[in-house]
mmCIF file of all heavy atoms in Angstrom:
data_model
loop_
_atom_site.group_PDB
_atom_site.id
_atom_site.type_symbol
_atom_site.label_atom_id
_atom_site.label_comp_id
_atom_site.label_asym_id
_atom_site.label_seq_id
_atom_site.Cartn_x
_atom_site.Cartn_y
_atom_site.Cartn_z
ATOM 1 N N LEU A 604 21.062 57.503 -90.157
ATOM 2 C CA LEU A 604 22.146 57.134 -89.247
ATOM 3 C C LEU A 604 23.330 56.576 -90.024
ATOM 4 O O LEU A 604 24.492 56.894 -89.715
ATOM 5 C CB LEU A 604 21.658 56.088 -88.239
ATOM 6 C CG LEU A 604 22.722 55.590 -87.247
ATOM 7 C CD1 LEU A 604 23.258 56.740 -86.394
ATOM 8 C CD2 LEU A 604 22.157 54.476 -86.367
ATOM 9 N N GLY A 605 23.058 55.765 -91.031
ATOM 10 C CA GLY A 605 24.133 55.226 -91.852
ATOM 11 C C GLY A 605 24.936 56.336 -92.511
ATOM 12 O O GLY A 605 26.179 56.304 -92.516
ATOM 13 N N LYS A 606 24.258 57.323 -93.052
ATOM 14 C CA LYS A 606 24.928 58.461 -93.686
ATOM 15 C C LYS A 606 25.762 59.222 -92.654
ATOM 16 O O LYS A 606 26.891 59.648 -92.931
ATOM 17 C CB LYS A 606 23.899 59.393 -94.318
ATOM 18 C CG LYS A 606 24.498 60.549 -95.111
ATOM 19 C CD LYS A 606 23.396 61.359 -95.787
ATOM 20 C CE LYS A 606 23.979 62.446 -96.687
ATOM 21 N NZ LYS A 606 24.780 63.425 -95.964
ATOM 22 N N ALA A 607 25.209 59.368 -91.440
ATOM 23 C CA ALA A 607 25.921 60.080 -90.381
ATOM 24 C C ALA A 607 27.157 59.309 -89.924
ATOM 25 O O ALA A 607 28.192 59.896 -89.612
ATOM 26 C CB ALA A 607 24.985 60.331 -89.202
ATOM 27 N N LEU A 608 27.064 57.981 -89.875
ATOM 28 C CA LEU A 608 28.213 57.153 -89.497
ATOM 29 C C LEU A 608 29.348 57.303 -90.504
ATOM 30 O O LEU A 608 30.529 57.375 -90.133
ATOM 31 C CB LEU A 608 27.797 55.685 -89.397
ATOM 32 C CG LEU A 608 27.015 55.293 -88.138
ATOM 33 C CD1 LEU A 608 26.295 53.960 -88.341
ATOM 34 C CD2 LEU A 608 27.949 55.213 -86.932
ATOM 35 N N ILE A 609 28.988 57.364 -91.770
ATOM 36 C CA ILE A 609 30.002 57.568 -92.808
ATOM 37 C C ILE A 609 30.553 58.986 -92.730
ATOM 38 O O ILE A 609 31.766 59.218 -92.810
ATOM 39 C CB ILE A 609 29.406 57.278 -94.203
ATOM 40 C CG1 ILE A 609 29.051 55.793 -94.327
ATOM 41 C CG2 ILE A 609 30.385 57.690 -95.311
ATOM 42 C CD1 ILE A 609 28.275 55.432 -95.589
ATOM 43 N N ASP A 610 29.664 59.958 -92.541
ATOM 44 C CA ASP A 610 30.062 61.363 -92.448
ATOM 45 C C ASP A 610 31.024 61.583 -91.281
ATOM 46 O O ASP A 610 31.972 62.370 -91.382
ATOM 47 C CB ASP A 610 28.816 62.237 -92.272
ATOM 48 C CG ASP A 610 29.130 63.723 -92.267
ATOM 49 O OD1 ASP A 610 29.579 64.237 -93.312
ATOM 50 O OD2 ASP A 610 28.939 64.383 -91.223
ATOM 51 N N ALA A 611 30.789 60.860 -90.181
ATOM 52 C CA ALA A 611 31.638 60.992 -88.996
ATOM 53 C C ALA A 611 32.875 60.107 -89.069
ATOM 54 O O ALA A 611 33.636 60.014 -88.104
ATOM 55 C CB ALA A 611 30.828 60.653 -87.744
ATOM 56 N N LYS A 612 33.037 59.445 -90.234
ATOM 57 C CA LYS A 612 34.202 58.570 -90.462
ATOM 58 C C LYS A 612 34.288 57.431 -89.437
ATOM 59 O O LYS A 612 35.378 57.025 -89.026
ATOM 60 C CB LYS A 612 35.500 59.385 -90.467
ATOM 61 C CG LYS A 612 35.568 60.383 -91.631
ATOM 62 C CD LYS A 612 36.853 61.160 -91.632
ATOM 63 C CE LYS A 612 37.057 61.959 -92.920
ATOM 64 N NZ LYS A 612 35.899 62.679 -93.410
ATOM 65 N N GLN A 613 33.140 56.912 -89.055
ATOM 66 C CA GLN A 613 33.086 55.774 -88.138
ATOM 67 C C GLN A 613 33.008 54.454 -88.889
ATOM 68 O O GLN A 613 33.373 53.413 -88.363
ATOM 69 C CB GLN A 613 31.878 55.920 -87.205
ATOM 70 C CG GLN A 613 31.949 57.114 -86.271
ATOM 71 C CD GLN A 613 33.190 57.080 -85.411
ATOM 72 O OE1 GLN A 613 33.372 56.170 -84.598
ATOM 73 N NE2 GLN A 613 34.066 58.060 -85.580
ATOM 74 N N VAL A 614 32.497 54.499 -90.103
ATOM 75 C CA VAL A 614 32.426 53.314 -90.960
ATOM 76 C C VAL A 614 32.770 53.707 -92.382
ATOM 77 O O VAL A 614 32.712 54.884 -92.753
ATOM 78 C CB VAL A 614 31.023 52.643 -90.933
ATOM 79 C CG1 VAL A 614 30.645 52.223 -89.526
ATOM 80 C CG2 VAL A 614 29.968 53.585 -91.508
ATOM 81 N N ASP A 615 33.135 52.712 -93.182
ATOM 82 C CA ASP A 615 33.415 52.954 -94.600
ATOM 83 C C ASP A 615 32.159 52.785 -95.445
ATOM 84 O O ASP A 615 31.896 53.564 -96.351
ATOM 85 C CB ASP A 615 34.498 51.993 -95.096
ATOM 86 C CG ASP A 615 35.872 52.333 -94.539
ATOM 87 O OD1 ASP A 615 36.081 53.502 -94.189
ATOM 88 O OD2 ASP A 615 36.722 51.434 -94.446
ATOM 89 N N THR A 616 31.407 51.734 -95.158
ATOM 90 C CA THR A 616 30.199 51.459 -95.929
ATOM 91 C C THR A 616 29.088 50.966 -95.009
ATOM 92 O O THR A 616 29.338 50.447 -93.921
ATOM 93 C CB THR A 616 30.436 50.380 -97.005
ATOM 94 O OG1 THR A 616 30.813 49.150 -96.357
ATOM 95 C CG2 THR A 616 31.537 50.804 -97.973
ATOM 96 N N VAL A 617 27.853 51.128 -95.480
ATOM 97 C CA VAL A 617 26.687 50.601 -94.767
ATOM 98 C C VAL A 617 25.814 49.865 -95.774
ATOM 99 O O VAL A 617 25.475 50.408 -96.828
ATOM 100 C CB VAL A 617 25.863 51.713 -94.096
ATOM 101 C CG1 VAL A 617 24.664 51.108 -93.365
ATOM 102 C CG2 VAL A 617 26.713 52.522 -93.125
ATOM 103 N N VAL A 618 25.474 48.641 -95.447
ATOM 104 C CA VAL A 618 24.573 47.839 -96.290
ATOM 105 C C VAL A 618 23.239 47.744 -95.564
ATOM 106 O O VAL A 618 23.178 47.332 -94.407
ATOM 107 C CB VAL A 618 25.144 46.426 -96.538
ATOM 108 C CG1 VAL A 618 24.152 45.593 -97.339
ATOM 109 C CG2 VAL A 618 26.480 46.516 -97.264
ATOM 110 N N TYR A 619 22.158 48.133 -96.230
ATOM 111 C CA TYR A 619 20.832 48.159 -95.617
ATOM 112 C C TYR A 619 19.994 46.962 -96.063
ATOM 113 O O TYR A 619 20.078 46.535 -97.210
ATOM 114 C CB TYR A 619 20.091 49.447 -95.991
ATOM 115 C CG TYR A 619 20.851 50.712 -95.664
ATOM 116 C CD1 TYR A 619 21.605 51.354 -96.634
ATOM 117 C CD2 TYR A 619 20.823 51.256 -94.389
ATOM 118 C CE1 TYR A 619 22.310 52.511 -96.350
ATOM 119 C CE2 TYR A 619 21.518 52.415 -94.092
ATOM 120 C CZ TYR A 619 22.262 53.041 -95.073
ATOM 121 O OH TYR A 619 22.965 54.188 -94.777
ATOM 122 N N GLU A 620 19.186 46.462 -95.159
ATOM 123 C CA GLU A 620 18.249 45.400 -95.507
ATOM 124 C C GLU A 620 16.892 45.707 -94.897
ATOM 125 O O GLU A 620 16.775 45.882 -93.689
ATOM 126 C CB GLU A 620 18.737 44.042 -95.010
ATOM 127 C CG GLU A 620 17.777 42.907 -95.390
ATOM 128 C CD GLU A 620 18.305 41.536 -95.060
ATOM 129 O OE1 GLU A 620 19.366 41.433 -94.411
ATOM 130 O OE2 GLU A 620 17.646 40.545 -95.426
ATOM 131 N N ASN A 621 15.881 45.798 -95.747
ATOM 132 C CA ASN A 621 14.514 46.016 -95.284
ATOM 133 C C ASN A 621 13.799 44.682 -95.115
ATOM 134 O O ASN A 621 13.855 43.825 -95.997
ATOM 135 C CB ASN A 621 13.725 46.872 -96.278
ATOM 136 C CG ASN A 621 14.148 48.324 -96.275
ATOM 137 O OD1 ASN A 621 15.060 48.708 -97.001
ATOM 138 N ND2 ASN A 621 13.484 49.125 -95.469
ATOM 139 N N LYS A 622 13.143 44.508 -93.981
ATOM 140 C CA LYS A 622 12.347 43.307 -93.729
ATOM 141 C C LYS A 622 11.135 43.719 -92.915
ATOM 142 O O LYS A 622 11.169 43.787 -91.688
ATOM 143 C CB LYS A 622 13.175 42.266 -92.964
ATOM 144 C CG LYS A 622 12.446 40.955 -92.686
ATOM 145 C CD LYS A 622 12.197 40.175 -93.962
ATOM 146 C CE LYS A 622 11.580 38.808 -93.671
ATOM 147 N NZ LYS A 622 11.319 38.041 -94.912
ATOM 148 N N GLY A 623 10.046 44.058 -93.608
ATOM 149 C CA GLY A 623 8.862 44.570 -92.939
ATOM 150 C C GLY A 623 7.920 43.487 -92.473
ATOM 151 O O GLY A 623 8.003 42.338 -92.893
ATOM 152 N N GLY A 624 7.018 43.876 -91.575
ATOM 153 C CA GLY A 624 5.967 42.975 -91.120
ATOM 154 C C GLY A 624 5.928 42.776 -89.629
ATOM 155 O O GLY A 624 6.970 42.769 -88.960
ATOM 156 N N ALA A 625 4.703 42.662 -89.090
ATOM 157 C CA ALA A 625 4.466 42.326 -87.681
ATOM 158 C C ALA A 625 5.137 43.301 -86.722
ATOM 159 O O ALA A 625 5.756 42.903 -85.738
ATOM 160 C CB ALA A 625 4.912 40.896 -87.396
ATOM 161 N N ALA A 626 5.021 44.598 -87.030
ATOM 162 C CA ALA A 626 5.576 45.647 -86.165
ATOM 163 C C ALA A 626 7.073 45.480 -85.947
ATOM 164 O O ALA A 626 7.597 45.808 -84.894
ATOM 165 C CB ALA A 626 4.847 45.692 -84.826
ATOM 166 N N GLY A 627 7.744 44.967 -86.952
ATOM 167 C CA GLY A 627 9.188 44.787 -86.867
ATOM 168 C C GLY A 627 9.615 43.421 -86.378
ATOM 169 O O GLY A 627 10.814 43.110 -86.361
ATOM 170 N N ALA A 628 8.664 42.572 -85.982
ATOM 171 C CA ALA A 628 9.005 41.265 -85.415
ATOM 172 C C ALA A 628 9.701 40.353 -86.427
ATOM 173 O O ALA A 628 10.582 39.568 -86.064
ATOM 174 C CB ALA A 628 7.756 40.579 -84.866
ATOM 175 N N LEU A 629 9.334 40.454 -87.708
ATOM 176 C CA LEU A 629 9.968 39.621 -88.723
ATOM 177 C C LEU A 629 11.430 40.025 -88.911
ATOM 178 O O LEU A 629 12.322 39.173 -88.988
ATOM 179 C CB LEU A 629 9.211 39.731 -90.050
ATOM 180 C CG LEU A 629 7.754 39.241 -90.058
ATOM 181 C CD1 LEU A 629 7.175 39.307 -91.469
ATOM 182 C CD2 LEU A 629 7.651 37.821 -89.515
ATOM 183 N N GLY A 630 11.659 41.331 -88.978
ATOM 184 C CA GLY A 630 13.023 41.815 -89.107
ATOM 185 C C GLY A 630 13.848 41.508 -87.877
ATOM 186 O O GLY A 630 15.036 41.169 -87.972
ATOM 187 N N LEU A 631 13.227 41.631 -86.705
ATOM 188 C CA LEU A 631 13.912 41.323 -85.447
ATOM 189 C C LEU A 631 14.357 39.865 -85.424
ATOM 190 O O LEU A 631 15.506 39.564 -85.074
ATOM 191 C CB LEU A 631 12.982 41.607 -84.265
ATOM 192 C CG LEU A 631 13.441 41.109 -82.886
ATOM 193 C CD1 LEU A 631 14.735 41.798 -82.469
ATOM 194 C CD2 LEU A 631 12.339 41.342 -81.841
ATOM 195 N N ALA A 632 13.465 38.957 -85.792
ATOM 196 C CA ALA A 632 13.796 37.527 -85.791
ATOM 197 C C ALA A 632 14.942 37.227 -86.753
ATOM 198 O O ALA A 632 15.867 36.477 -86.424
ATOM 199 C CB ALA A 632 12.565 36.709 -86.162
ATOM 200 N N GLN A 633 14.892 37.836 -87.940
ATOM 201 C CA GLN A 633 15.956 37.609 -88.918
ATOM 202 C C GLN A 633 17.279 38.168 -88.406
ATOM 203 O O GLN A 633 18.334 37.536 -88.550
ATOM 204 C CB GLN A 633 15.591 38.264 -90.252
ATOM 205 C CG GLN A 633 16.633 38.052 -91.335
ATOM 206 C CD GLN A 633 16.136 38.492 -92.693
ATOM 207 O OE1 GLN A 633 15.028 38.152 -93.105
ATOM 208 N NE2 GLN A 633 16.949 39.273 -93.404
ATOM 209 N N PHE A 634 17.224 39.349 -87.801
ATOM 210 C CA PHE A 634 18.433 39.985 -87.270
ATOM 211 C C PHE A 634 19.059 39.124 -86.172
ATOM 212 O O PHE A 634 20.270 38.878 -86.169
ATOM 213 C CB PHE A 634 18.076 41.369 -86.718
ATOM 214 C CG PHE A 634 19.228 42.109 -86.094
ATOM 215 C CD1 PHE A 634 20.198 42.703 -86.886
ATOM 216 C CD2 PHE A 634 19.333 42.218 -84.719
ATOM 217 C CE1 PHE A 634 21.266 43.400 -86.317
ATOM 218 C CE2 PHE A 634 20.388 42.907 -84.128
ATOM 219 C CZ PHE A 634 21.362 43.496 -84.938
ATOM 220 N N VAL A 635 18.234 38.654 -85.247
ATOM 221 C CA VAL A 635 18.733 37.852 -84.123
ATOM 222 C C VAL A 635 19.343 36.546 -84.606
ATOM 223 O O VAL A 635 20.418 36.127 -84.160
ATOM 224 C CB VAL A 635 17.594 37.587 -83.113
ATOM 225 C CG1 VAL A 635 17.979 36.486 -82.131
ATOM 226 C CG2 VAL A 635 17.247 38.869 -82.365
ATOM 227 N N ASN A 636 18.671 35.899 -85.559
ATOM 228 C CA ASN A 636 19.136 34.590 -86.020
ATOM 229 C C ASN A 636 20.354 34.660 -86.948
ATOM 230 O O ASN A 636 21.192 33.750 -86.958
ATOM 231 C CB ASN A 636 18.004 33.857 -86.738
ATOM 232 C CG ASN A 636 16.881 33.472 -85.782
ATOM 233 O OD1 ASN A 636 17.123 33.168 -84.627
ATOM 234 N ND2 ASN A 636 15.639 33.510 -86.264
ATOM 235 N N ALA A 637 20.456 35.752 -87.708
ATOM 236 C CA ALA A 637 21.519 35.830 -88.711
ATOM 237 C C ALA A 637 22.751 36.613 -88.258
ATOM 238 O O ALA A 637 23.791 36.556 -88.917
ATOM 239 C CB ALA A 637 20.969 36.454 -89.996
ATOM 240 N N SER A 638 22.637 37.344 -87.162
ATOM 241 C CA SER A 638 23.730 38.249 -86.791
ATOM 242 C C SER A 638 24.395 37.917 -85.461
ATOM 243 O O SER A 638 25.103 38.753 -84.904
ATOM 244 C CB SER A 638 23.188 39.692 -86.739
ATOM 245 O OG SER A 638 22.626 40.076 -87.962
ATOM 246 N N LYS A 639 24.176 36.733 -84.935
ATOM 247 C CA LYS A 639 24.730 36.385 -83.628
ATOM 248 C C LYS A 639 26.247 36.616 -83.584
ATOM 249 O O LYS A 639 26.981 36.127 -84.425
ATOM 250 C CB LYS A 639 24.414 34.931 -83.295
ATOM 251 C CG LYS A 639 22.934 34.686 -83.031
ATOM 252 C CD LYS A 639 22.646 33.215 -82.763
ATOM 253 C CE LYS A 639 21.151 32.987 -82.540
ATOM 254 N NZ LYS A 639 20.823 31.562 -82.346
ATOM 255 N N GLY A 640 26.670 37.379 -82.600
ATOM 256 C CA GLY A 640 28.094 37.636 -82.399
ATOM 257 C C GLY A 640 28.725 38.597 -83.382
ATOM 258 O O GLY A 640 29.937 38.817 -83.339
#
């Protein structure tokens, strides 16, 4: 999706962060707490 967003000229760059564990719950918690707004 990141590659497609760049290909479609919707974004300039995409920074990825992997956070595995608990069926995605660890990544979800980090995303919710760190990305508010």
Side-chain angles (χ1 to χ4, degrees):
L604 178 61
K606 185 176 185 298
L608 283 162
I609 294 172
D610 184 65
K612 295 181 169 44
Q613 295 303 297
V614 301
D615 289 335
T616 62
V617 180
V618 177
Y619 305 97
E620 181 173 7
N621 288 88
K622 182 68 175 179
L629 297 185
L631 169 63
Q633 181 170 312
F634 178 76
V635 166
N636 292 326
S638 302
K639 291 177 182 177

